[in-house]
Amino acid sequence: MVLQDRAKATRQAIIAGAAAVFEEHGYGKTTLAQVAEAAQVTKGALYFHFQSKEDLAGAVIEEQHRLVVQDAERILAGNRPALSTIILMCRAFGLRLVDEPVVRAGIRLTFEATAFGRTVREPYEDWVATMAELAARSRREGQIRASVDPAALARYIVASFTGVQMVSDVLTGRADVMARIEEMWAILLPGIIAEDWPGDPSELAGLVSGTGPDPVPKAAAPA
């Protein structure tokens, strides 16, 4: 058990080290020697866990996806209204981009995947499917207009978020990414909110910055 725990810790250290190097240098300019140095492991230990740079890049992408899915599952467990859930998922992803090198590296590698023959459709397909399911539920809940197509909205949200965070990275190194995500929602919400919904779209957009009310259902009082 101790050896297994040590092996897991070494593998995670290698992934973290690889993320730091991939984020800084990109796939093409990264070497396994750089990764071993960043992870503070020997080349032998690195090759024990990963046979090639391609395998290592794939592991970083998989870890990035795992972290984002973990956040999404936690938010889904809150049983909030579906539209609030969508916005909070975008918020969580944005915070990961600010705080987590593995997520930043995974995103960079996703856009460089043709360099190492990696198929990166699955994370995007998963994200679009989740957004579409939530959009359909929000329409049933009466928060999104009946005329809005859930699948089309899902594709638009994913594409918009992707573009917003990329431009933020180019212009500010993502220093303003949370403000830009909130801005995205402030622009989008008035066009999809149901006409008879009594709430304020700007408050929903404020969920990104934490200024909007988080509608977590209160537990029922004991009988």
Side-chain angles (χ1 to χ4, degrees), residues 42-132:
T42 65
K43 283 189 178 181
L46 191 153
Y47 278 112
F48 176 80
H49 291 277
F50 300 100
Q51 297 301 304
S52 65
K53 187 166 73 168
E54 290 89 341
D55 289 344
L56 192 50
V60 171
I61 292 174
E62 289 170 5
E63 179 66 5
Q64 174 254 310
H65 185 48
R66 185 190 70 79
L67 291 172
V68 172
V69 168
Q70 175 182 289
D71 289 339
E73 290 175 345
R74 173 180 51 80
I75 294 166
L76 282 166
N79 196 31
R80 299 169 176 87
L83 186 54
S84 298
T85 297
I86 293 173
I87 296 169
L88 288 169
M89 284 183 178
C90 289
R91 177 181 190 270
F93 202 156
L95 290 173
R96 286 288 190 183
L97 286 167
V98 173
D99 298 330
E100 182 53 71
V102 170
V103 173
R104 294 194 298 270
I107 294 297
R108 176 166 185 170
L109 289 168
T110 295
F111 291 105
E112 298 178 347
T114 54
F116 53 99
R118 177 81 178 188
T119 299
V120 292
R121 292 173 57 95
E122 184 179 353
Y124 285 96
E125 289 171 343
D126 287 350
W127 195 14
V128 170
T130 299
M131 294 289 116

Side-chain angles (χ1 to χ4, degrees), residues 136-180:
R137 178 153 68 87
S138 184
R139 196 169 66 170
R140 293 193 299 271
E141 292 171 349
Q143 204 164 11
I144 289 178
R145 297 179 187 180
S147 60
V148 173
D149 178 70
L153 178 60
R155 290 190 294 270
Y156 187 78
I157 291 170
V158 172
S160 296
F161 181 94
T162 301
V164 162
Q165 66 86 14
M166 285 180 63
V167 173
S168 174
D169 184 29
V170 171
L171 296 181
T172 71
R174 295 197 181 94
D176 68 348
V177 70
M178 300 308 294
R180 299 291 77 80

